[in-house]
Amino acid sequence: MSTVCVPPSAVSTRAETAYRNRRSKWVADPIAAESDSLSIALHPPSERQVAEDPDAVIAWVRVWQTRRGIGRVHWESRRWPSFGTQDVPVRVVFAGPGEIAAAAGHTSEWHTLTARRMQLVEALSPGTAALPGAIASSLSRWLQFDEADFTRLVGVVRWLADHPASGLFIRQLPVPGVDTKWISRHRGLVELLLEGAIGRRDLGVRSVPRLCHVAVCDRTALPSMPKHFAAPLDELAALPLRTERILVLENKEGLHALPHLPGTVAVHGSGYAVHELTAIPWLADSDVVYWGDLDTHGFAILDRFRAHLPDVRSFLMDLHTLEAWTALAVPEPSPSSHVPARLTPSEAEVFTRLREEGLRLEQERIPWPHVMEELARSFGGKIGHRRGSTTVDPTALGRGTS
């Protein structure tokens, strides 16, 4: 035959496609799914094809005559002048998800899907109107779970739905087998199902607070504290600290390398989370200086910081620094699409040049002796290590003394 008629062996491939495309809809609305069907055209031969290869046509018809299994084969009569009236198969129809799944070779999977869907519905009822869709849209994920993990999933979502504001840490959740690592791996799925159950994704649990790293560059500011320490923001806010200046920088090694700086406390900025520092009263009441990378993201972070503290000044984020150390700059792989609105004219000039040339100059690439010189010039006074009244020449810093 010049055009190959569809043999029974090809039906499973087409049923497989239909099954994959439709199973989410079936899970979302099992009642409507029962009226679904799949009709696969078998493309019976024309009279010309019969004449060209009658043995092939006869063999194809016999295969369909002897076929056994699910699905209903529909036959029609064809009247051909040269061959008389012949009955040929024209389509095979599968009724309902079960038959389509069986034709695709996924009976076992479909049984698992329907059983697990029922478990989720029963565990999360009454749920919200979004629950069926949440269960359906996530089926490719929970279907991959073994029975133990699926049991954990049902249990933890049910518990979180029943205790929407527990305030527990994840490790405290009373669900066997569920710990911080398990939630970390499956958090998106848990949040999606929880939203379907109670209308929100918030797990209602406590997270380990972000620690903010601090360097007390003038020990007289907090004489009872270590020079370097880290603490949650709320604990930092409670410190009885009054200082002339806060230096916010993005490089942790730079934070630890800072020498004695009169009237200065340095704080790690944590990138785009820098605005969270504005919750610290003593920081907001100080002269705040921001030292970020010379790239589009650095200026976007500075812009965000100024949205909360408009008087933040920048340090080493100027054209002089860029031109002095351009040889140390590298291409910026993923520039920020944000266009800052709170830059000074000179900062905006640097930002434009960085964006046009696709450059980034990370703060850690700037030679340390130059940083020390600029700190002395910008902050005033003597800088260096201090024990009592001893200071160190800033030009010596960067040669192993800082």
Side-chain angles (χ1 to χ4, degrees):
M1 290 179 288
S2 57
T3 300
V4 178
C5 302
V6 177
S9 59
V11 167
S12 61
T13 301
R14 303 191 184 191
E16 165 82 15
T17 301
Y19 173 78
R20 293 296 178 192
N21 290 340
R22 301 183 190 183
R23 63 179 185 172
S24 290
K25 294 180 181 178
W26 296 338
V27 169
D29 191 348
I31 296 177
E34 290 305 315
S35 62
D36 198 4
S37 64
L38 173 65
S39 177
I40 299 177
L42 302 181
H43 303 294
S46 65
E47 184 178 12
R48 179 179 177 181
Q49 290 173 310
V50 175
E52 290 176 348
D53 195 348
D55 291 339
V57 172
I58 292 171
W60 176 75
V61 171
R62 285 178 177 171
V63 167
W64 278 106
Q65 287 173 334
T66 58
R67 175 187 177 273
R68 298 293 180 266
I70 59 167
R72 181 184 176 189
V73 180
H74 291 252
W75 296 73
E76 292 182 359
S77 295
R78 293 288 191 269
R79 185 181 297 276
W80 293 318
S82 300
F83 302 98
T85 301
Q86 303 292 334
D87 289 336
V88 293
V90 293
R91 74 183 65 85
V92 59
V93 178
F94 302 98
E99 286 196 0
I100 298 173
H106 292 299
T107 296
S108 177
E109 180 182 282
W110 178 242
H111 287 165
T112 300
L113 272 174
T114 53
R116 289 187 173 184
R117 177 197 177 278
M118 184 60 67
Q119 285 181 258
L120 286 167
V121 169
E122 290 177 351
L124 304 182
S125 292
T128 70
L131 180 59
I135 293 174
S137 65
S138 60
L139 71 82
S140 61
R141 285 180 277 179
W142 50 256
L143 184 60
Q144 295 177 359
F145 284 7
D146 59 23
E147 287 302 322
D149 268 337
F150 184 74
T151 298
R152 295 184 185 105
L153 175 68
V154 174
V156 74
V157 178
R158 176 67 271 168
W159 193 92
L160 292 171
D162 288 340
H163 306 83
S166 70
L168 298 179
F169 287 108
I170 289 173
R171 74 169 312 279
Q172 296 176 292
L173 297 181
V175 182
V178 173
D179 54 21
T180 305
K181 291 182 179 178
W182 194 96
I183 291 291
S184 178
R185 289 196 302 271
H186 308 299
R187 185 161 189 146
L189 174 57
V190 171
E191 289 177 341
L192 179 60
L193 293 174
L194 185 63
E195 184 177 31
I198 63 174
R200 62 181 179 83
R201 287 176 173 247
D202 183 5
L203 303 188
V205 297
R206 275 195 293 168
S207 299
V208 175
R210 177 173 74 86
L211 297 181
C212 181
H213 292 259
V214 177
V216 184
C217 298
D218 186 340
R219 302 305 302 280
T220 63
L222 282 174
S224 62
M225 297 291 289
K227 178 178 180 180
H228 299 103
F229 64 93
L233 291 178
D234 58 344
E235 294 184 15
L236 289 179
L239 290 177
L241 179 61
R242 294 291 181 272
T243 187
E244 175 185 348
R245 181 184 307 107
I246 304 295
L247 173 62
V248 179
L249 68 161
E250 295 298 345
N251 185 273
K252 284 186 180 179
E253 288 191 2
L255 187 78
H256 284 268
L258 289 172
H260 170 79
L261 297 172
T264 302
V265 171
V267 179
H268 183 244
S270 297
Y272 281 99
V274 69
H275 63 285
E276 296 177 3
L277 297 176
T278 59
I280 303 175
W282 47 261
L283 183 144
D285 293 339
S286 303
D287 175 25
V288 181
V289 179
Y290 179 73
W291 178 19
D293 292 327
L294 269 170
D295 61 12
T296 59
H297 289 280
F299 283 104
I301 294 168
L302 174 61
D303 185 61
R304 174 176 290 193
F305 204 6
R306 281 188 178 144
H308 298 267
L309 286 179
D311 295 329
V312 171
R313 297 186 291 118
S314 64
F315 175 68
L316 291 182
M317 300 179 73
D318 52 73
L319 192 60
H320 170 73
T321 302
L322 178 61
E323 291 181 340
W325 308 108
T326 298
L328 302 178
V330 298
E332 185 173 22
S334 302
S336 169
S337 59
H338 175 70
V339 179
R342 301 173 185 86
L343 303 183
T344 66
S346 59
E347 291 167 348
E349 182 181 2
V350 180
F351 172 80
T352 299
R353 178 167 170 179
L354 289 168
R355 186 172 60 177
E356 290 177 349
E357 298 183 14
L359 295 177
R360 71 176 312 201
L361 177 61
E362 296 172 285
Q363 58 182 236
E364 65 178 292
R365 288 178 173 263
I366 300 174
W368 196 246
H370 177 76
V371 173
M372 294 297 96
E373 292 172 3
E374 290 301 311
L375 283 172
R377 185 181 65 81
S378 300
F379 289 9
K382 292 185 177 181
I383 65 173
H385 285 294
R386 178 172 183 171
R387 292 193 180 277
S389 59
T390 304
T391 60
V392 177
D393 180 355
T395 61
L397 298 170
R399 297 199 296 265
T401 61
S402 56

